[in-house]
Amino acid sequence: MALVSVGVLWALIIFMIYIVIQPIASCEHDILLPNGQVTESSSWFLGDNIKFECNRGFSLQGKSWHLGNGNMKKRYCATGCNDIEKRANGTIFTATDGLKAKIECDKEFVLSGNSVTYCNGTKWIMKLGTCQLANSVGDHSCDFEREDMCGWRASKAIPQPWKRISAAADFRKEKCLQQDHTFQSDVEGHFIRLQSQVHASRTYHFISPIYPRNLTVGHSLWFQFQLFMFGTEVRNLTISVKPSSMAIEDMWNSFRNICTKLIVSGDQGPNWKSQSISIDEMESDFQVVFTVVDPSSLHGDIGIDDVKFIKYETNEPHF
């Protein structure tokens, strides 16, 4: 019995060593603060300890310290600017010292883009967003610039790993995915990222608004999206299409094989890549669903951006 126990112990030790030495996708981005300085230190107990200071004549926008690992808000060093250009269907509030401007949209309008910008003494650093009519359908495409995410939503869950990320505001030092596909800028753009969390051990869905059946009638319909999927432990991303009347739990537990259109597995490289699925003629209105199972130990990134439909006549060649 003792020999068996020793064998099991050695097997466990070898397994733990194997896990520890496995390469983990990590980009370790520098924390930049134009017109200021960043001082970094770290400890096993507290994690990152980051201090932000601005040069003389500039005022720090955000807290001067960040403690711990994980997500942080970007800081900016600002000084005064002149008035900012007005926006239709919204009101811009400018700080009396000219350091900061914020936009709020009128009732029945929704913000698309950045809600806040700061001045660096020469220009406003971020382009302020615009106010668009709420509940507008358009061509059913979405770049996730709108605060309402064009009707896309995450299934109810605590913790909730699906997050809308702002390139201008959100920063995670070790994450490779920092910019969206649309603008590929550090101060503009939004995208959806699956945030790895210690206790995120369930099934998590990201669900489209309801699309009308007539989109699928009389032509070949494709759903295209931009995907960032990079890391040594990135798991499967499943893309499904379901009738709008079908509960998301029923789709996953009882009709998964019928509804699944594509499964993307593992590391796809450190760049945005285009993916698409074909959608057959539907008998009713429908929804598109992205699903990930158990992202609790996810080392890497999964990002989604720029979703849209592409129509082809039935006799045209397609993907």
Side-chain angles (χ1 to χ4, degrees):
M1 188 70 177
L3 290 176
V4 173
S5 298
V6 171
V8 171
L9 180 61
W10 273 109
L12 180 61
I13 292 172
I14 293 171
F15 174 76
M16 294 302 294
I17 293 173
Y18 171 80
I19 292 297
V20 169
I21 65 175
Q22 289 303 296
I24 295 176
S26 179
C27 289
E28 289 295 325
H29 294 276
D30 292 332
I31 302 174
L32 303 178
L33 185 65
N35 301 306
Q37 298 84 39
V38 178
T39 305
E40 298 183 60
S41 61
S42 62
S43 68
W44 174 84
F45 181 70
L46 294 175
D48 292 334
N49 184 348
I50 304 169
K51 183 179 180 180
F52 302 87
E53 295 179 288
C54 291
N55 298 340
R56 179 174 295 182
F58 290 84
S59 177
L60 181 66
Q61 305 300 299
K63 295 180 180 180
S64 60
W65 290 89
H66 174 83
L67 298 176
N69 299 317
N71 298 330
M72 73 170 74
K73 292 296 181 182
K74 286 186 177 180
R75 274 71 163 177
Y76 293 90
C77 291
T79 189
C81 266
N82 295 323
D83 291 340
I84 194 169
E85 182 182 351
K86 294 181 179 180
R87 297 288 191 274
N89 307 309
T91 304
I92 295 179
F93 301 92
T94 307
T96 54
D97 51 13
L99 301 181
K100 175 181 176 180
K102 181 178 180 179
I103 184 171
E104 292 185 5
C105 293
D106 298 340
K107 187 178 179 180
E108 299 183 356
F109 289 84
V110 64
L111 180 65
S112 176
N114 294 323
S115 62
V116 175
T117 186
Y118 305 100
C119 179
N120 64 7
T122 303
K123 63 180 182 179
W124 295 98
I125 299 171
M126 292 93 79
K127 182 180 179 181
L128 212 53
T130 59
C131 296
Q132 300 179 356
L133 190 64
N135 301 318
S136 60
V137 175
D139 59 0
H140 303 288
S141 64
C142 189
D143 57 9
F144 299 105
E145 292 305 301
R146 290 170 59 106
E147 286 185 332
D148 62 3
M149 299 193 297
C150 317
W152 283 80
R153 62 180 177 85
S155 56
K156 292 182 180 179
I158 299 175
Q160 177 52 255
W162 291 110
K163 301 288 185 181
R164 177 176 176 261
I165 300 299
S166 166
D170 299 309
F171 183 80
R172 192 162 179 173
K173 183 179 177 182
E174 81 283 4
K175 287 295 183 181
C176 300
L177 179 55
Q178 302 286 342
Q179 299 178 347
D180 79 333
H181 174 266
T182 314
F183 297 99
Q184 300 187 30
S185 165
D186 291 328
V187 295
E188 190 173 6
H190 295 77
F191 60 94
I192 304 301
R193 183 165 68 198
L194 183 78
Q195 306 266 81
S196 58
Q197 300 182 36
V198 173
H199 301 294
S201 57
R202 298 164 52 187
T203 299
Y204 300 93
H205 306 285
F206 188 59
I207 309 165
S208 79
I210 296 174
Y211 297 124
R213 171 186 177 273
N214 60 24
L215 279 177
T216 68
V217 177
H219 47 253
S220 175
L221 183 69
W222 291 77
F223 176 79
Q224 185 183 82
F225 59 97
Q226 301 300 319
L227 177 65
F228 189 106
M229 198 164 171
F230 176 65
T232 52
E233 292 187 14
V234 171
R235 292 183 170 86
N236 295 344
L237 175 70
T238 302
I239 301 91
S240 310
V241 176
K242 73 175 188 69
S244 60
S245 59
M246 180 185 291
I248 192 71
E249 294 81 9
D250 292 339
M251 180 206 78
W252 191 249
N253 296 326
S254 303
F255 301 98
R256 189 186 311 180
N257 291 339
I258 298 174
C259 295
T260 296
K261 297 293 183 179
L262 177 67
I263 299 176
V264 184
S265 301
D267 189 341
Q268 302 294 308
N271 299 295
W272 288 99
K273 293 186 178 180
S274 180
Q275 298 278 355
S276 59
I277 58 171
S278 63
I279 300 178
D280 300 328
E281 182 172 332
M282 300 293 291
E283 296 181 358
S284 64
D285 295 346
F286 65 98
Q287 292 173 288
V288 178
V289 183
F290 294 97
T291 304
V292 171
V293 178
D294 186 19
S296 58
S297 60
L298 178 69
H299 291 292
D301 299 297
I302 294 180
I304 298 169
D305 201 7
D306 292 334
V307 302
K308 66 179 181 179
F309 288 104
I310 301 175
K311 299 177 182 179
Y312 290 90
E313 297 304 322
T314 54
N315 58 350
E316 285 186 17
H318 24 81
F319 300 102

